[in-house]
Amino acid sequence: MLTVGSRGDYEWLVTDQQFDPLKLCPEVALGKYIAITSIDSGPLIITDKEKTAGWTSREQIAYSPKVEGVESLPRAGWDEWYIFGGPPILAQAISEKTSSKFRKSRGT
């Protein structure tokens, strides 16, 4: 299965095939920032080496520094990545969206 799509400015690719899209098209990540929400079906636990390289982690989401090369990017096969043009903060956006929904549902 291979599914691609878009909505507004966002584009996606979902597949159950084993291939490395960064080998086929490294430009998709070069010069951008990646938020990894799942790697091999679980959260990415960043290593000391990755921390030194600028990786951070919040709310079980790993955030890359600006990607200068794709060779060292962590990948394991069943991964979920979000690629952005600037540094993202997904955990904060999700938390704020959930919090505002909760406030609205409680009548505040």
Side-chain angles (χ1 to χ4, degrees):
M1 170 201 70
L2 174 67
T3 305
V4 296
S6 65
R7 185 171 193 174
D9 291 339
Y10 297 93
E11 299 177 37
W12 65 85
L13 177 143
V14 177
T15 184
D16 59 359
Q17 303 297 308
Q18 289 292 96
F19 77 97
D20 186 349
L22 295 178
K23 285 185 180 176
L24 297 174
C25 187
E27 303 82 36
V28 75
L30 290 174
K32 299 186 179 126
Y33 298 81
I34 300 173
I36 300 178
T37 57
S38 178
I39 190 157
D40 199 22
S41 302
L44 173 63
I45 308 301
I46 56 176
T47 65
D48 288 338
K49 183 177 178 180
E50 289 164 337
K51 286 179 187 176
T52 300
W55 283 80
T56 59
S57 180
R58 288 183 295 281
E59 308 274 337
Q60 295 189 338
I61 299 172
Y63 297 94
S64 77
K66 187 174 186 178
V67 175
E68 302 297 333
V70 298
E71 303 77 23
S72 63
L73 290 174
R75 41 200 188 270
W78 298 103
D79 308 339
E80 184 172 307
W81 288 19
Y82 296 87
I83 302 173
F84 297 91
I89 311 256
L90 290 180
Q92 180 180 346
I94 291 167
S95 176
E96 287 171 0
K97 188 174 185 178
T98 303
S99 176
S100 67
K101 264 189 189 174
F102 180 72
R103 282 194 303 270
K104 287 178 187 173
S105 70
R106 304 266 301 163
T108 57

